[in-house]
């Protein structure tokens, strides 16, 4: 164990993970209580609805407490770890000599010590942290002293106060229901649970998914039934199904065949986003077949000249950015409240990637400023991170246009759903030998189907058709791209 001298304990909280994500599940702790951590060293791996994220701690020192067991869901702003910062000497006794802490199930802490009254400015500066940003959060100093945890509340597990959650009959909460996550609202609605009758365990009484699940388990164990349940419309899950998180309303047949798969995690996030796109965006699709023979030859020649190999998707991305420069209407978004079309100056190009966890859309930042070699390298980096589950929320947000190469699945065409809130998506089918009229004669050529799904609010068919025709011309004659750069 390391010993922290002339230091103090700082509390690091779960940071803002971006794009409306309000909670994350602890997948794996990367440190133990008593470990020495460096500034910006990852301390925990969490899973959001977007990605698996390793969360770095901005403080260096000795870990004096962890909050939350693996599998626990925490809201943004909940404590993750406390770190005794200051000079580290030896490998001995910080766990014993550091600030007092409790011994809850999650290794939680009772109270963090106030900084010594006479602490030197140099020591204070060391305790300020790195100031680095994960996604939209900075390093800030935690309060010098935190309230001690009541022994009857499992705060150290990251779901403090769940025991105080109430079910029907316990009395409503005054004022608006403190819930941020739509997933929590849907879970309660599917199980006919009134959120006003729960006491949230999150910051400022925020109701978490753990609170809803606890209430459902308690209702099942106590035999509590709502009026709808008594009418046979809804069956409350038993304790075993409640603990596994398999909550959903049942069909009319009480023992219907089939397997129920909860829409949560990446699958749930994809479902929500696609549903929103269909609800809000009046989309239309146009498509064209193109002769990709010359593009394939050009790529072969580029890769034969030495240097890093150029991927086909990088060439298609380069064509996309050139087309968006000519048709900027498609690199935009719609502000529905202001009733304005916002045309964007930079192209952040998303691309669909299928992983074991589901479909994700990593984003290549400033794709318009990258050449084919740079695009190839960035596509490779993001694809590898996606397959390994290492994409950050920052890698998955902020796209302005999406390239969907569904040809890798062996299909010729598709009508993609726009990645909300973008305005368009280019789909690329497989490139296969087909009979084609070339220079007045029938020949076997490498043919690809291109499709463009676009938001009809931002442009009409003429603009969309012009964009797609330009892309097809570049595919058929790569020299067209060179003339317009």
């Amino acid at each position: 164990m390391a010993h922290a001298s002339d230091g103090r304990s700082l509390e690091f909280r779960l940071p803002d993970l971006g794009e409306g994500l309000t909670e994350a599940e602890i997948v794996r702790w990367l440190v133990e209580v008593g470990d020495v951590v460096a500034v910006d060293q990852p301390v925990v791996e969490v899973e959001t609805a977007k990605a698996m994220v390793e969360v770095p701690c901005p403080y260096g020192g000795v870990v004096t407490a962890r909050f939350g067991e693996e599998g626990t869901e925490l809201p943004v702003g909940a404590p993750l770890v406390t770190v005794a910062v200051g000079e580290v000497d030896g490998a001995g006794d910080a766990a014993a000599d550091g600030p007092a802490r409790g011994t809850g199930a999650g290794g939680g802490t009772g109270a963090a010590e106030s900084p010594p009254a006479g602490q030197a400015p140099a020591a204070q500066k060391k305790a300020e942290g790195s100031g680095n940003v994960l996604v939209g959060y900075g390093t800030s100093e935690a309060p010098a002293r935190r309230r001690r945890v009541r022994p009857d509340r499992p705060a150290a597990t990251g779901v403090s106060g769940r025991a105080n959650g109430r079910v029907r009959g316990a009395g409503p909460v005054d004022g608006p229901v403190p819930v941020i996550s739509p997933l929590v609202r849907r879970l309660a609605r599917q199980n006919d649970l009134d959120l006003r009758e729960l006491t949230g365990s999150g910051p400022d009484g925020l109701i978490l998914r753990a609170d809803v699940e606890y209430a459902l388990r308690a209702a099942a164990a106590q035999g509590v039934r709502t009026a709808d349940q008594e009418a046979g419309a809804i069956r409350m899950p038993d304790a075993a199904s409640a603990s596994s998180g398999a909550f959903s309303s049942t069909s009319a047949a009480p023992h219907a065949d089939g397997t129920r798969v909860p829409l949560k995690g990446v699958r749930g996030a994809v479902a929500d986003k696609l549903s929103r796109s269909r609800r809000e965006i009046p989309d239309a699709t146009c498509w064209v077949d193109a002769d990709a023979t010359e593009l394939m030859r050009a790529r072969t020649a580029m890769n034969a000249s030495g240097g890093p190999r150029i991927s086909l998707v990088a060439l298609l991305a380069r064509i996309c950015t050139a087309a968006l420069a000519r048709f900027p209407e498609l690199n935009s978004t719609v502000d529905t409240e202001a009733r304005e079309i916002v045309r964007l100056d930079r192209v952040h190009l998303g691309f669909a990637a299928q992983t074991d966890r589901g479909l994700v859309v990593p984003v290549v930042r400033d794709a318009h400023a990258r050449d084919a070699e740079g695009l190839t390298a960035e596509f490779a980096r993001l694809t590898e991170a996606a397959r390994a589950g290492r994409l950050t929320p920052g890698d998955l947000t902020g796209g302005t246009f999406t390239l969907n190469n569904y040809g890798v699945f062996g299909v010729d065409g598709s009508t993609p759903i726009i990645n909300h809130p973008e305005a368009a998506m280019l789909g690329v089918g497989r490139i296969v030998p087909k009979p084609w009229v070339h220079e007045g004669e029938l020949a076997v050529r490498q043919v690809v189907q291109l499709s463009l799904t676009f938001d009809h609010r931002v442009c009409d068919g003429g603009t969309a058709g012009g964009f797609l025709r330009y892309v097809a011309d570049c595919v058929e004659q790569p020299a067209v791209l060179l003339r317009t750069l």
Side-chain angles (χ1 to χ4, degrees):
M1 300 287 185
H3 181 70
S5 62
D6 298 327
R8 52 178 172 164
S9 279
L10 296 179
E11 185 178 81
F12 174 51
R13 296 173 177 266
L14 180 65
D16 178 4
L17 299 172
E19 203 174 82
L21 298 173
T22 60
E23 54 197 22
E25 179 180 327
I26 295 175
V27 175
R28 181 168 59 101
W29 281 106
L30 306 177
V31 296
E32 301 287 344
V33 173
D35 285 355
V36 178
V37 295
V39 172
D40 292 337
Q41 175 180 331
V43 294
V44 66
E45 186 179 68
V46 301
E47 180 176 18
T48 71
K50 296 286 185 183
M52 299 276 280
V53 182
E54 287 187 351
V55 181
C57 178
Y59 309 121
V62 179
V63 177
T64 58
R66 299 186 324 192
F67 293 86
E69 298 176 346
E70 293 178 357
T72 299
E73 193 168 81
L74 300 180
V76 169
L80 278 178
V81 295
T82 55
V83 178
V85 300
E87 297 294 334
V88 177
D89 51 84
D93 314 304
D97 298 341
R101 60 184 185 274
T103 56
T109 171
E113 293 295 333
S114 301
Q119 186 179 40
Q124 292 176 356
K125 185 174 182 180
K126 290 178 182 177
E128 291 174 355
S130 67
N132 286 347
V133 172
L134 178 63
V135 177
Y137 83 97
T139 309
S140 60
E141 188 172 318
R145 178 175 290 273
R146 296 183 296 103
R147 178 172 53 86
R148 289 188 180 273
V149 178
R150 296 206 317 250
D152 61 333
R153 296 185 63 181
T157 67
V159 283
S160 58
R162 282 191 298 168
N164 293 334
R166 297 195 298 270
V167 294
R168 284 187 177 275
V173 175
D174 295 331
V177 179
V179 178
I180 295 178
S181 171
L183 300 177
V184 172
R185 292 186 182 277
R186 184 170 68 244
L187 178 60
R189 183 171 59 252
Q190 288 175 340
N191 291 276
D192 194 41
L193 185 66
D194 190 348
L195 288 172
R196 291 183 177 274
E197 297 177 353
L198 298 182
T199 298
S201 62
D204 299 322
L206 185 70
I207 296 175
L208 311 179
R209 187 171 74 179
D211 300 320
V212 176
E213 292 175 351
Y214 180 85
L216 293 173
R217 289 198 300 271
Q222 298 170 10
V224 177
R225 295 183 179 275
T226 64
D228 285 340
Q229 289 171 323
E230 291 171 353
I234 302 293
R235 179 177 63 86
M236 179 66 73
D238 57 21
S241 62
S243 62
S244 67
F247 304 118
S248 60
S249 57
T250 62
S251 60
H255 301 291
D257 294 335
T259 301
R260 293 179 178 268
V261 180
L263 276 174
K264 62 181 182 178
V266 172
R267 186 72 259 163
V270 169
D272 291 340
K273 195 157 192 176
L274 295 181
S275 297
R276 183 178 184 184
S277 179
R278 279 296 194 218
R279 285 195 308 270
E280 298 183 9
I281 299 179
D283 60 348
T285 301
C286 53
W287 58 90
V288 64
D289 288 341
D291 179 0
T293 305
E294 296 304 322
L295 180 66
M296 300 298 286
R297 287 176 179 171
R299 175 175 176 256
T300 300
M302 293 171 70
N303 289 335
S305 62
R309 294 182 61 82
I310 304 301
S311 68
L312 178 60
V313 71
L315 294 179
L316 293 170
R318 191 68 190 89
I319 293 172
C320 273
T321 58
L324 289 172
R326 293 172 64 91
F327 299 92
E329 298 91 336
L330 293 168
N331 192 54
S332 63
T333 187
V334 176
D335 185 337
T336 54
E337 293 186 1
R339 292 185 60 81
E340 294 176 340
I341 298 172
V342 183
R343 292 184 182 173
L344 306 169
D345 298 328
R346 300 157 68 187
V347 178
H348 300 317
L349 186 68
F351 66 98
Q354 191 70 39
T355 72
D356 292 340
R357 298 179 64 241
L359 180 70
V360 294
V361 184
V363 176
V364 176
R365 304 285 169 184
D366 295 316
H368 60 287
R370 300 174 186 261
D371 58 14
E373 184 177 320
L375 287 167
T376 297
E378 188 64 359
F379 276 121
R381 183 189 72 83
L382 291 170
T383 299
E384 181 182 357
R387 290 171 178 168
R390 296 195 309 268
L391 288 173
T392 69
D395 291 329
L396 294 164
T397 56
T400 64
F401 185 93
T402 296
L403 173 62
N404 187 358
N405 181 21
Y406 45 74
V408 297
F409 301 118
V411 297
D412 295 326
S414 174
T415 54
I417 298 176
I418 295 173
N419 188 24
H420 185 280
E422 298 169 14
M425 178 185 293
L426 178 69
V428 181
R430 61 175 180 163
I431 301 176
V432 293
K434 288 185 179 180
W436 190 266
V437 177
H438 177 65
E439 296 180 350
E441 296 183 356
L442 188 64
V444 176
R445 305 286 286 182
Q446 299 292 320
V447 179
V448 62
Q449 185 179 99
L450 306 171
S451 63
L452 177 72
T453 298
F454 64 99
D455 186 339
H456 224 316
R457 296 172 298 179
V458 305
C459 69
D460 294 325
T463 299
F467 174 95
L468 189 58
R469 187 63 256 171
Y470 176 80
V471 171
D473 289 345
C474 290
V475 167
E476 293 184 340
Q477 303 176 52
V480 172
L481 178 62
L482 298 176
R483 287 200 303 266
T484 58
L485 291 180

